Amino acid sequence: MIRQAQGEAFGQFQYPTPPLGRPGGAQAVFHHEWKTEEAKEKLKRTVEAYRQFEQGQMPAGPGADALLASFRAVEKELADHKPGPAKVVTDRQIELLLKKKASVLHLSAANYCWFEDPAKALCLKLAGTRSAAAPLTGLCDSSRCPQATHHIVHRSVWQTTADNGAVLLASPRIPLAEKDRLRAEQERSMRVLEEIDTAAGKAQ
């Protein structure tokens, strides 16, 4: 259910898919352009998360502490190089300091995956793979992966999953065995929602 919701919501920042039929150099040029736009989007999202951190909206999820450590390091470096109280820190300065962090980011509708260490990636462990150039999104369980974070931008996907789960659990047509699985998934979605709201300072 969460993967279906991810697919429905992913369009809001989905990258263009390079066409398979482009010949030779034209396809290579398009691939380069696509990778450039992807890198820009990753950097934009990383800066956005940093700005939210500055405003007191913290990330949630198993990888939150590691991400916060990176953000605090950037914050300290900016403070150390700030010549005076009137100095305004620009997005460009932040982008330069976050560029390396952004390069390992993999975007999903339901979470951010900071794929810095393949050995820590839960999806690779589930697949029995020791290393890979990218996460295996089909095996992603961001509520348990130490490199995954949840942010306000992901809240609607988890809310949709929780709402759909509640509807299915109330249906008399769903077998009891299936309801056990749905209940566990719905409880996970509710837990993630609570964590997102608490970390962002929006808990009721």
Short mmCIF file of all heavy atoms in Angstrom, two decimals, residues 75-127:
data_model
loop_
_atom_site.label_atom_id
_atom_site.label_comp_id
_atom_site.label_asym_id
_atom_site.label_seq_id
_atom_site.Cartn_x
_atom_site.Cartn_y
_atom_site.Cartn_z
N GLU A 75 26.36 24.26 10.00
CA GLU A 75 26.00 25.42 10.81
C GLU A 75 27.22 25.99 11.51
O GLU A 75 27.42 27.22 11.55
CB GLU A 75 24.93 25.02 11.82
CG GLU A 75 24.38 26.16 12.64
CD GLU A 75 23.29 25.67 13.59
OE1 GLU A 75 23.55 24.71 14.34
OE2 GLU A 75 22.19 26.25 13.59
N LYS A 76 28.05 25.12 12.05
CA LYS A 76 29.26 25.57 12.76
C LYS A 76 30.25 26.21 11.80
O LYS A 76 30.85 27.24 12.12
CB LYS A 76 29.92 24.38 13.46
CG LYS A 76 31.14 24.76 14.29
CD LYS A 76 31.71 23.56 15.01
CE LYS A 76 32.86 23.96 15.93
NZ LYS A 76 33.94 24.67 15.23
N GLU A 77 30.40 25.61 10.63
CA GLU A 77 31.34 26.17 9.66
C GLU A 77 30.89 27.55 9.19
O GLU A 77 31.70 28.46 9.04
CB GLU A 77 31.49 25.22 8.46
CG GLU A 77 32.58 25.66 7.49
CD GLU A 77 33.05 24.54 6.59
OE1 GLU A 77 32.65 23.38 6.82
OE2 GLU A 77 33.81 24.82 5.65
N LEU A 78 29.60 27.71 8.98
CA LEU A 78 29.08 29.01 8.59
C LEU A 78 29.29 30.05 9.70
O LEU A 78 29.64 31.20 9.44
CB LEU A 78 27.58 28.91 8.26
CG LEU A 78 27.23 28.17 6.96
CD1 LEU A 78 25.74 27.93 6.89
CD2 LEU A 78 27.71 28.97 5.75
N ALA A 79 29.06 29.62 10.93
CA ALA A 79 29.24 30.53 12.07
C ALA A 79 30.70 30.93 12.23
O ALA A 79 31.02 32.09 12.52
CB ALA A 79 28.73 29.88 13.34
N ASP A 80 31.61 29.97 12.03
CA ASP A 80 33.04 30.25 12.18
C ASP A 80 33.56 31.23 11.13
O ASP A 80 34.52 31.97 11.37
CB ASP A 80 33.84 28.96 12.11
CG ASP A 80 33.62 28.08 13.33
OD1 ASP A 80 33.08 28.58 14.33
OD2 ASP A 80 33.95 26.87 13.26
N HIS A 81 32.93 31.22 9.94
CA HIS A 81 33.41 32.07 8.85
C HIS A 81 32.57 33.33 8.69
O HIS A 81 32.81 34.12 7.79
CB HIS A 81 33.41 31.29 7.54
CG HIS A 81 34.48 30.27 7.46
ND1 HIS A 81 34.37 29.02 8.04
CD2 HIS A 81 35.72 30.28 6.90
CE1 HIS A 81 35.47 28.31 7.83
NE2 HIS A 81 36.30 29.06 7.14
N LYS A 82 31.59 33.53 9.56
CA LYS A 82 30.74 34.71 9.46
C LYS A 82 31.48 35.91 10.06
O LYS A 82 31.79 35.90 11.25
CB LYS A 82 29.43 34.46 10.19
CG LYS A 82 28.36 35.52 9.92
CD LYS A 82 27.11 35.26 10.73
CE LYS A 82 26.47 33.95 10.42
NZ LYS A 82 25.17 33.77 11.15
N PRO A 83 31.74 36.95 9.27
CA PRO A 83 32.54 38.07 9.78
C PRO A 83 31.82 38.95 10.78
O PRO A 83 32.46 39.63 11.57
CB PRO A 83 32.86 38.87 8.50
CG PRO A 83 31.76 38.52 7.55
CD PRO A 83 31.40 37.09 7.86
N GLY A 84 30.52 38.96 10.79
CA GLY A 84 29.81 39.83 11.72
C GLY A 84 28.33 39.54 11.75
O GLY A 84 27.83 38.80 10.90
N PRO A 85 27.61 40.11 12.73
CA PRO A 85 26.18 39.82 12.88
C PRO A 85 25.33 40.28 11.69
O PRO A 85 24.23 39.80 11.49
CB PRO A 85 25.79 40.58 14.15
CG PRO A 85 26.85 41.63 14.30
CD PRO A 85 28.10 41.03 13.75
N ALA A 86 25.85 41.23 10.90
CA ALA A 86 25.07 41.73 9.78
C ALA A 86 25.20 40.84 8.54
O ALA A 86 24.49 41.03 7.56
CB ALA A 86 25.52 43.15 9.42
N LYS A 87 26.11 39.88 8.57
CA LYS A 87 26.33 39.00 7.44
C LYS A 87 25.13 38.08 7.22
O LYS A 87 24.65 37.44 8.15
CB LYS A 87 27.59 38.15 7.68
CG LYS A 87 27.87 37.11 6.61
CD LYS A 87 28.29 37.73 5.30
CE LYS A 87 28.70 36.65 4.28
NZ LYS A 87 29.11 37.24 3.00
N VAL A 88 24.65 38.02 5.98
CA VAL A 88 23.52 37.16 5.63
C VAL A 88 24.07 35.93 4.91
O VAL A 88 24.78 36.05 3.90
CB VAL A 88 22.50 37.89 4.74
CG1 VAL A 88 21.39 36.94 4.32
CG2 VAL A 88 21.93 39.09 5.48
N VAL A 89 23.76 34.77 5.43
CA VAL A 89 24.20 33.53 4.79
C VAL A 89 23.28 33.23 3.62
O VAL A 89 22.06 33.18 3.76
CB VAL A 89 24.16 32.36 5.80
CG1 VAL A 89 24.52 31.07 5.10
CG2 VAL A 89 25.13 32.64 6.94
N THR A 90 23.86 33.06 2.45
CA THR A 90 23.07 32.82 1.24
C THR A 90 22.91 31.34 0.98
O THR A 90 23.67 30.50 1.50
CB THR A 90 23.75 33.46 0.02
OG1 THR A 90 25.00 32.80 -0.22
CG2 THR A 90 23.99 34.94 0.27
N ASP A 91 21.93 31.01 0.15
CA ASP A 91 21.73 29.63 -0.25
C ASP A 91 22.96 29.10 -0.97
O ASP A 91 23.28 27.91 -0.86
CB ASP A 91 20.51 29.51 -1.17
CG ASP A 91 19.21 29.39 -0.40
OD1 ASP A 91 19.26 29.30 0.84
OD2 ASP A 91 18.14 29.41 -1.03
N ARG A 92 23.66 29.96 -1.71
CA ARG A 92 24.85 29.52 -2.44
C ARG A 92 25.92 29.02 -1.48
O ARG A 92 26.56 27.99 -1.74
CB ARG A 92 25.39 30.67 -3.29
CG ARG A 92 26.61 30.30 -4.13
CD ARG A 92 26.33 29.11 -5.03
NE ARG A 92 27.52 28.73 -5.79
CZ ARG A 92 27.67 27.55 -6.37
NH1 ARG A 92 26.70 26.64 -6.28
NH2 ARG A 92 28.77 27.26 -7.04
N GLN A 93 26.14 29.72 -0.39
CA GLN A 93 27.12 29.27 0.60
C GLN A 93 26.71 27.92 1.18
O GLN A 93 27.54 27.03 1.36
CB GLN A 93 27.23 30.30 1.73
CG GLN A 93 27.89 31.62 1.33
CD GLN A 93 27.78 32.64 2.43
OE1 GLN A 93 26.71 33.21 2.66
NE2 GLN A 93 28.88 32.86 3.14
N ILE A 94 25.43 27.79 1.48
CA ILE A 94 24.93 26.53 2.03
C ILE A 94 25.05 25.41 1.01
O ILE A 94 25.42 24.28 1.34
CB ILE A 94 23.47 26.69 2.50
CG1 ILE A 94 23.40 27.71 3.64
CG2 ILE A 94 22.88 25.36 2.95
CD1 ILE A 94 22.00 28.06 4.05
N GLU A 95 24.76 25.72 -0.25
CA GLU A 95 24.85 24.71 -1.30
C GLU A 95 26.26 24.15 -1.41
O GLU A 95 26.46 22.94 -1.56
CB GLU A 95 24.44 25.32 -2.64
CG GLU A 95 22.94 25.53 -2.79
CD GLU A 95 22.61 26.29 -4.06
OE1 GLU A 95 23.55 26.68 -4.79
OE2 GLU A 95 21.40 26.50 -4.33
N LEU A 96 27.26 25.03 -1.33
CA LEU A 96 28.65 24.58 -1.44
C LEU A 96 29.01 23.62 -0.31
O LEU A 96 29.74 22.64 -0.52
CB LEU A 96 29.58 25.79 -1.44
CG LEU A 96 29.51 26.68 -2.68
CD1 LEU A 96 30.36 27.93 -2.49
CD2 LEU A 96 29.96 25.90 -3.92
N LEU A 97 28.51 23.91 0.89
CA LEU A 97 28.82 23.06 2.04
C LEU A 97 28.02 21.76 2.04
O LEU A 97 28.43 20.77 2.65
CB LEU A 97 28.57 23.84 3.34
CG LEU A 97 29.50 25.02 3.59
CD1 LEU A 97 29.04 25.82 4.80
CD2 LEU A 97 30.94 24.54 3.79
N LEU A 98 26.86 21.77 1.38
CA LEU A 98 26.00 20.59 1.38
C LEU A 98 26.10 19.76 0.10
O LEU A 98 25.42 18.74 -0.03
CB LEU A 98 24.54 21.01 1.58
CG LEU A 98 24.17 21.52 2.97
CD1 LEU A 98 22.73 22.05 2.96
CD2 LEU A 98 24.31 20.42 4.02
N LYS A 99 26.93 20.20 -0.82
CA LYS A 99 27.00 19.55 -2.13
C LYS A 99 27.37 18.06 -2.01
O LYS A 99 26.78 17.21 -2.67
CB LYS A 99 28.00 20.26 -3.02
CG LYS A 99 27.97 19.80 -4.47
CD LYS A 99 28.85 20.67 -5.34
CE LYS A 99 28.77 20.23 -6.80
NZ LYS A 99 29.62 21.10 -7.67
N LYS A 100 28.34 17.76 -1.17
CA LYS A 100 28.75 16.38 -1.01
C LYS A 100 27.64 15.54 -0.40
O LYS A 100 27.38 14.40 -0.83
CB LYS A 100 30.01 16.29 -0.13
CG LYS A 100 30.53 14.88 0.04
CD LYS A 100 31.81 14.85 0.87
CE LYS A 100 32.32 13.42 1.04
NZ LYS A 100 33.56 13.38 1.87
N LYS A 101 26.97 16.08 0.60
CA LYS A 101 25.85 15.37 1.24
C LYS A 101 24.73 15.14 0.23
O LYS A 101 24.14 14.05 0.17
CB LYS A 101 25.33 16.19 2.43
CG LYS A 101 24.29 15.47 3.28
CD LYS A 101 24.90 14.33 4.05
CE LYS A 101 23.91 13.68 4.98
NZ LYS A 101 24.50 12.56 5.75
N ALA A 102 24.43 16.15 -0.57
CA ALA A 102 23.35 16.03 -1.55
C ALA A 102 23.66 14.97 -2.60
O ALA A 102 22.74 14.35 -3.15
CB ALA A 102 23.12 17.39 -2.22
N SER A 103 24.93 14.74 -2.88
CA SER A 103 25.30 13.80 -3.94
C SER A 103 24.91 12.36 -3.62
O SER A 103 24.77 11.53 -4.52
CB SER A 103 26.81 13.87 -4.21
OG SER A 103 27.55 13.35 -3.10
N VAL A 104 24.70 12.05 -2.33
CA VAL A 104 24.35 10.68 -1.95
C VAL A 104 22.85 10.54 -1.69
O VAL A 104 22.37 9.46 -1.33
CB VAL A 104 25.12 10.23 -0.68
CG1 VAL A 104 26.62 10.30 -0.93
CG2 VAL A 104 24.73 11.06 0.53
N LEU A 105 22.11 11.62 -1.90
CA LEU A 105 20.67 11.59 -1.63
C LEU A 105 19.92 10.90 -2.76
O LEU A 105 20.15 11.15 -3.94
CB LEU A 105 20.15 13.03 -1.48
CG LEU A 105 18.63 13.20 -1.35
CD1 LEU A 105 18.08 12.45 -0.15
CD2 LEU A 105 18.27 14.67 -1.29
N HIS A 106 19.00 10.02 -2.36
CA HIS A 106 18.06 9.40 -3.31
C HIS A 106 16.66 9.74 -2.84
O HIS A 106 16.28 9.48 -1.71
CB HIS A 106 18.27 7.88 -3.37
CG HIS A 106 19.57 7.49 -4.01
ND1 HIS A 106 19.67 7.11 -5.34
CD2 HIS A 106 20.83 7.45 -3.52
CE1 HIS A 106 20.93 6.86 -5.63
NE2 HIS A 106 21.65 7.05 -4.54
N LEU A 107 15.91 10.39 -3.74
CA LEU A 107 14.59 10.90 -3.40
C LEU A 107 13.51 9.86 -3.58
O LEU A 107 13.52 9.09 -4.53
CB LEU A 107 14.26 12.12 -4.27
CG LEU A 107 15.21 13.31 -4.14
CD1 LEU A 107 14.88 14.34 -5.20
CD2 LEU A 107 15.11 13.91 -2.76
N SER A 108 12.57 9.87 -2.65
CA SER A 108 11.38 9.04 -2.75
C SER A 108 10.21 9.86 -2.25
O SER A 108 10.40 10.84 -1.52
CB SER A 108 11.53 7.78 -1.89
OG SER A 108 10.29 7.11 -1.76
N ALA A 109 9.01 9.49 -2.65
CA ALA A 109 7.83 10.22 -2.19
C ALA A 109 7.63 10.05 -0.69
O ALA A 109 7.01 10.91 -0.06
CB ALA A 109 6.59 9.73 -2.93
N ALA A 110 8.14 8.98 -0.11
CA ALA A 110 7.88 8.68 1.30
C ALA A 110 9.08 8.91 2.21
O ALA A 110 8.94 8.86 3.43
CB ALA A 110 7.40 7.24 1.45
N ASN A 111 10.25 9.15 1.64
CA ASN A 111 11.44 9.33 2.48
C ASN A 111 12.60 9.85 1.64
O ASN A 111 12.55 9.86 0.41
CB ASN A 111 11.84 8.02 3.16
CG ASN A 111 12.35 6.99 2.17
OD1 ASN A 111 11.56 6.36 1.46
ND2 ASN A 111 13.66 6.82 2.08
N TYR A 112 13.65 10.28 2.33
CA TYR A 112 14.93 10.57 1.71
C TYR A 112 15.90 9.48 2.12
O TYR A 112 15.96 9.11 3.31
CB TYR A 112 15.48 11.92 2.18
CG TYR A 112 14.75 13.13 1.65
CD1 TYR A 112 14.92 14.37 2.25
CD2 TYR A 112 13.90 13.04 0.54
CE1 TYR A 112 14.26 15.50 1.76
CE2 TYR A 112 13.25 14.15 0.05
CZ TYR A 112 13.42 15.38 0.67
OH TYR A 112 12.77 16.50 0.19
N CYS A 113 16.65 8.95 1.17
CA CYS A 113 17.67 7.94 1.45
C CYS A 113 19.04 8.57 1.24
O CYS A 113 19.38 8.98 0.13
CB CYS A 113 17.49 6.73 0.52
SG CYS A 113 18.84 5.52 0.65
N TRP A 114 19.81 8.66 2.32
CA TRP A 114 21.16 9.22 2.26
C TRP A 114 22.13 8.04 2.11
O TRP A 114 22.66 7.52 3.09
CB TRP A 114 21.46 10.05 3.50
CG TRP A 114 20.40 11.08 3.74
CD1 TRP A 114 19.26 10.94 4.49
CD2 TRP A 114 20.33 12.40 3.19
NE1 TRP A 114 18.50 12.09 4.46
CE2 TRP A 114 19.12 13.01 3.66
CE3 TRP A 114 21.16 13.14 2.35
CZ2 TRP A 114 18.76 14.30 3.32
CZ3 TRP A 114 20.79 14.44 2.01
CH2 TRP A 114 19.61 15.00 2.49
N PHE A 115 22.36 7.63 0.88
CA PHE A 115 23.05 6.37 0.57
C PHE A 115 24.57 6.56 0.64
O PHE A 115 25.28 6.46 -0.35
CB PHE A 115 22.62 5.90 -0.82
CG PHE A 115 22.92 4.46 -1.12
CD1 PHE A 115 22.26 3.45 -0.46
CD2 PHE A 115 23.87 4.13 -2.09
CE1 PHE A 115 22.53 2.12 -0.75
CE2 PHE A 115 24.14 2.80 -2.37
CZ PHE A 115 23.48 1.80 -1.71
N GLU A 116 25.05 6.80 1.85
CA GLU A 116 26.48 7.05 2.04
C GLU A 116 27.27 5.75 2.24
O GLU A 116 28.42 5.66 1.83
CB GLU A 116 26.69 7.97 3.24
CG GLU A 116 26.19 9.38 3.02
CD GLU A 116 26.46 10.28 4.20
OE1 GLU A 116 25.79 10.13 5.24
OE2 GLU A 116 27.34 11.16 4.08
N ASP A 117 26.67 4.77 2.88
CA ASP A 117 27.38 3.54 3.20
C ASP A 117 26.51 2.34 2.82
O ASP A 117 25.57 1.99 3.53
CB ASP A 117 27.70 3.50 4.70
CG ASP A 117 28.56 2.30 5.08
OD1 ASP A 117 28.81 1.44 4.21
OD2 ASP A 117 28.98 2.22 6.25
N PRO A 118 26.81 1.69 1.68
CA PRO A 118 26.01 0.53 1.25
C PRO A 118 25.92 -0.55 2.32
O PRO A 118 24.91 -1.26 2.39
CB PRO A 118 26.76 0.03 0.01
CG PRO A 118 27.46 1.24 -0.51
CD PRO A 118 27.86 2.03 0.71
N ALA A 119 26.94 -0.67 3.16
CA ALA A 119 26.94 -1.72 4.19
C ALA A 119 25.85 -1.51 5.22
O ALA A 119 25.43 -2.45 5.90
CB ALA A 119 28.30 -1.79 4.88
N LYS A 120 25.37 -0.26 5.35
CA LYS A 120 24.32 0.04 6.32
C LYS A 120 22.92 -0.01 5.72
O LYS A 120 21.93 0.10 6.44
CB LYS A 120 24.56 1.42 6.94
CG LYS A 120 25.82 1.53 7.78
CD LYS A 120 25.95 2.93 8.36
CE LYS A 120 27.20 3.07 9.22
NZ LYS A 120 27.35 4.45 9.76
N ALA A 121 22.84 -0.12 4.41
CA ALA A 121 21.54 -0.04 3.72
C ALA A 121 20.70 -1.29 4.00
O ALA A 121 21.10 -2.40 3.66
CB ALA A 121 21.74 0.14 2.23
N LEU A 122 19.55 -1.10 4.58
CA LEU A 122 18.66 -2.22 4.89
C LEU A 122 18.23 -2.96 3.63
O LEU A 122 18.15 -4.20 3.63
CB LEU A 122 17.44 -1.73 5.66
CG LEU A 122 16.39 -2.79 6.02
CD1 LEU A 122 16.98 -3.86 6.93
CD2 LEU A 122 15.18 -2.12 6.68
N CYS A 123 17.95 -2.21 2.56
CA CYS A 123 17.49 -2.86 1.33
C CYS A 123 18.52 -3.84 0.78
O CYS A 123 18.16 -4.93 0.30
CB CYS A 123 17.13 -1.81 0.27
SG CYS A 123 18.50 -0.74 -0.21
N LEU A 124 19.81 -3.49 0.88
CA LEU A 124 20.86 -4.38 0.40
C LEU A 124 20.99 -5.61 1.30
O LEU A 124 21.25 -6.72 0.82
CB LEU A 124 22.19 -3.65 0.31
CG LEU A 124 22.26 -2.45 -0.63
CD1 LEU A 124 23.69 -1.96 -0.77
CD2 LEU A 124 21.67 -2.77 -1.99
N LYS A 125 20.81 -5.40 2.59
CA LYS A 125 20.85 -6.53 3.51
C LYS A 125 19.71 -7.50 3.23
O LYS A 125 19.90 -8.72 3.26
CB LYS A 125 20.79 -6.04 4.96
CG LYS A 125 22.03 -5.28 5.41
CD LYS A 125 21.89 -4.80 6.85
CE LYS A 125 23.13 -4.04 7.31
NZ LYS A 125 23.01 -3.56 8.70
N LEU A 126 18.53 -6.96 2.97
CA LEU A 126 17.38 -7.81 2.66
C LEU A 126 17.58 -8.59 1.36
O LEU A 126 17.11 -9.72 1.21
CB LEU A 126 16.11 -6.97 2.56
CG LEU A 126 15.64 -6.31 3.86
CD1 LEU A 126 14.45 -5.39 3.60
CD2 LEU A 126 15.25 -7.38 4.90
N ALA A 127 18.32 -7.97 0.43
CA ALA A 127 18.56 -8.62 -0.86
C ALA A 127 19.78 -9.52 -0.82
O ALA A 127 20.04 -10.25 -1.78
CB ALA A 127 18.76 -7.56 -1.93
#
